[in-house]
Amino acid sequence: MSSQKAIPSKYFYDARGSKLFEHICKLPEYYLTRIEISILEDIAPEFTQILRHKDLVELGSGADLKIRTMLDSVGRESRATLRYIPVDISESAISNALQSLLELYPELEVLGIVADFTCQLNVIPSHRPAIFCFLGSTIGNFDKDETMLFLRNVAEAMKLEDRLLIGFDMVKSQEILEAAYNDSEGVTAEFNKNILNVVNGSLHGNLDPCAFDHLAFYNEKYQRIEMHLKANCDFSARLKALDLEVEFTAGDTIHTEISRKFKREEIEELAFHAGLRIANWHTDSEEWFSLVEMSCHSEN
Ligand code: SAH
Ligand code: AVI
């Protein structure tokens, strides 16, 4: 049995974690958001007609920055026929996005849903044709089995005419990847440590963020960034709600996140095994990030 301590990455996103992630998206080293938005800007005009009378369902929506690129290009008249459905585990992310979108686009119907996209896709209304979006390479935060399960669940929830748009961060040099997760302002370190505040809050714990250092590195064998929190001294912490005492020796780590990076052939294989067909492939000039449009195989 593995003795590696771990916290699932979905616990990053309380109100503070969601804000810290928004800050990460603006950092110069974190190229993912910048590139994905530029690809979205390029392809948004193609969606102007496609989105009419549809549901635009965004899984793990976070802040409204990216979807605004699509909504801006759609135009007021088409926006009035569209319903935007952001789905996120973070209540604060949903309520902030709702507030800002309703101010910006009073003609738009918005239905915010606080739900876990790994097990609650059934709560998303399904009577209108839909475009599903899963942006930001959040898919990289799943391991291989979780990725396949997620894609199959989404494929099952899709109707024949529906489309799925997924953002994938691609394999690139170790230096660029590691810089993106070790920014010079220390925002990613704060984001990583904040997961302890979330655990303390929900499990009545006393894990001290100051007793840990941020650690993020590229694991080439598994093609993924790994984020850990590394204990900087010996201590024990208590999680009262679980009646659990956890011992740490300096150097022990808590694994908090994987962020997998992809190659084109792997994405093609994933789509095939999930019963999805790749309809369109969009990328930037350096092929650092890909936005892949998928549809269901007709026999699904
Ligand atoms: N799509 C946005 C945000 C990415 S951050 C972007 O590209 O910038 C990942 C988002 O997924 C966060 O808003 C987080 O709250 C949400 N999230 C993480 N795990 C989740 C889960 N299991 N179910 C629903 N939302 C989840
Ligand atoms: C949300 N997710 C795709 C981000 C990522 O790059 O894996 C979360 C993140 N972790 C550290 N920085 C950003």
Side-chain angles (χ1 to χ4, degrees):
M1 203 179 83
S2 161
S3 60
Q4 174 68 64
K5 297 176 178 70
I7 302 173
S9 59
K10 68 179 177 184
Y11 293 108
F12 278 125
Y13 300 98
D14 66 343
R16 181 162 183 260
S18 296
K19 280 283 157 211
L20 284 166
F21 180 71
E22 272 183 61
H23 192 167
I24 289 174
C25 290
K26 295 183 188 133
L27 295 169
E29 297 95 334
Y30 197 74
Y31 59 86
L32 291 83
T33 309
R34 208 170 43 249
I35 297 182
E36 191 177 31
I37 288 180
S38 79
I39 304 173
L40 278 171
E41 281 167 353
D42 286 348
I43 67 169
E46 291 171 31
F47 282 83
T48 308
Q49 284 308 314
I50 296 174
L51 283 170
R52 281 182 71 83
H53 300 285
K54 300 255 167 54
D55 279 342
L56 177 59
V57 180
E58 188 179 8
L59 304 171
S61 46
D64 58 344
L65 187 68
K66 287 180 187 167
I67 217 63
R68 269 168 31 200
T69 311
M70 306 273 275
L71 294 172
D72 281 342
S73 91
V74 164
R76 195 175 196 288
E77 199 241 327
S78 293
R79 267 198 308 269
T81 71
L82 169 73
R83 178 167 63 168
Y84 173 54
I85 308 183
V87 179
D88 203 290
I89 205 160
S90 163
E91 200 176 331
S92 70
I94 292 287
S95 64
N96 291 340
L98 282 187
Q99 204 180 336
S100 116
L101 290 171
L102 292 174
E103 269 169 34
L104 278 168
Y105 314 112
E107 69 285 359
L108 180 71
E109 190 183 341
V110 185
L111 172 67
I113 301 183
V114 178
D116 186 329
F117 52 52
T118 61
C119 54
Q120 293 182 302
L121 293 178
N122 60 319
V123 300
I124 302 169
S126 60
H127 53 280
R128 288 184 11 162
I131 309 287
F132 289 85
C133 292
F134 194 42
L135 304 177
S137 201
T138 302
I139 195 159
N141 300 135
F142 293 142
D143 68 21
K144 279 193 174 167
D145 291 347
E146 290 165 341
T147 305
M148 190 46 66
L149 187 63
F150 174 81
L151 287 177
R152 286 190 174 143
N153 286 343
V154 177
E156 206 167 288
M158 284 167 72
K159 299 175 290 306
L160 260 188
E161 69 272 32
D162 291 351
R163 286 281 177 281
L164 170 63
L165 189 61
I166 308 187
F168 290 92
D169 192 22
M170 308 303 277
V171 168
K172 57 185 69 61
S173 87
Q174 176 163 357
E175 201 186 339
I176 292 162
L177 287 170
E178 289 189 343
Y181 294 82
N182 290 285
D183 66 274
S184 52
E185 286 177 45
V187 186
T188 310
E190 275 306 298
F191 173 73
N192 196 7
K193 290 182 190 182
N194 184 59
I195 205 167
L196 299 176
N197 298 326
V198 179
V199 170
N200 286 338
S202 49
L203 297 178
H204 307 292
N206 64 353
L207 287 153
D208 177 6
C210 296
F212 293 91
D213 296 325
H214 168 69
L215 176 68
F217 58 89
Y218 187 55
N219 181 332
E220 201 171 351
K221 181 173 173 209
Y222 294 108
Q223 268 178 226
R224 66 188 194 193
I225 288 283
E226 288 187 15
M227 282 214 316
H228 294 253
L229 287 164
K230 186 172 173 186
N232 52 33
C233 53
D234 299 351
F235 62 95
S236 75
R238 186 157 171 69
L239 298 172
K240 215 169 158 189
L242 301 180
D243 195 18
L244 186 71
E245 198 79 22
V246 193
E247 302 289 335
F248 288 90
T249 303
D252 283 354
T253 74
I254 307 177
H255 192 179
T256 51
E257 186 180 62
I258 58 166
S259 195
R260 292 172 62 214
K261 308 300 164 189
F262 298 86
K263 291 185 178 158
R264 186 171 177 139
E265 55 277 19
E266 289 162 356
I267 297 170
E268 287 167 349
E269 205 174 306
L270 271 176
F272 177 78
H273 289 292
L276 291 159
R277 187 181 69 80
I278 295 185
N280 261 312
W281 193 286
H282 311 276
T283 187
D284 55 294
S285 57
E286 292 176 292
E287 303 190 4
W288 278 13
F289 200 92
S290 296
L291 260 178
V292 185
E293 270 178 73
M294 302 184 191
S295 61
C296 290
H297 275 308
S298 49
E299 61 268 25
N300 272 5

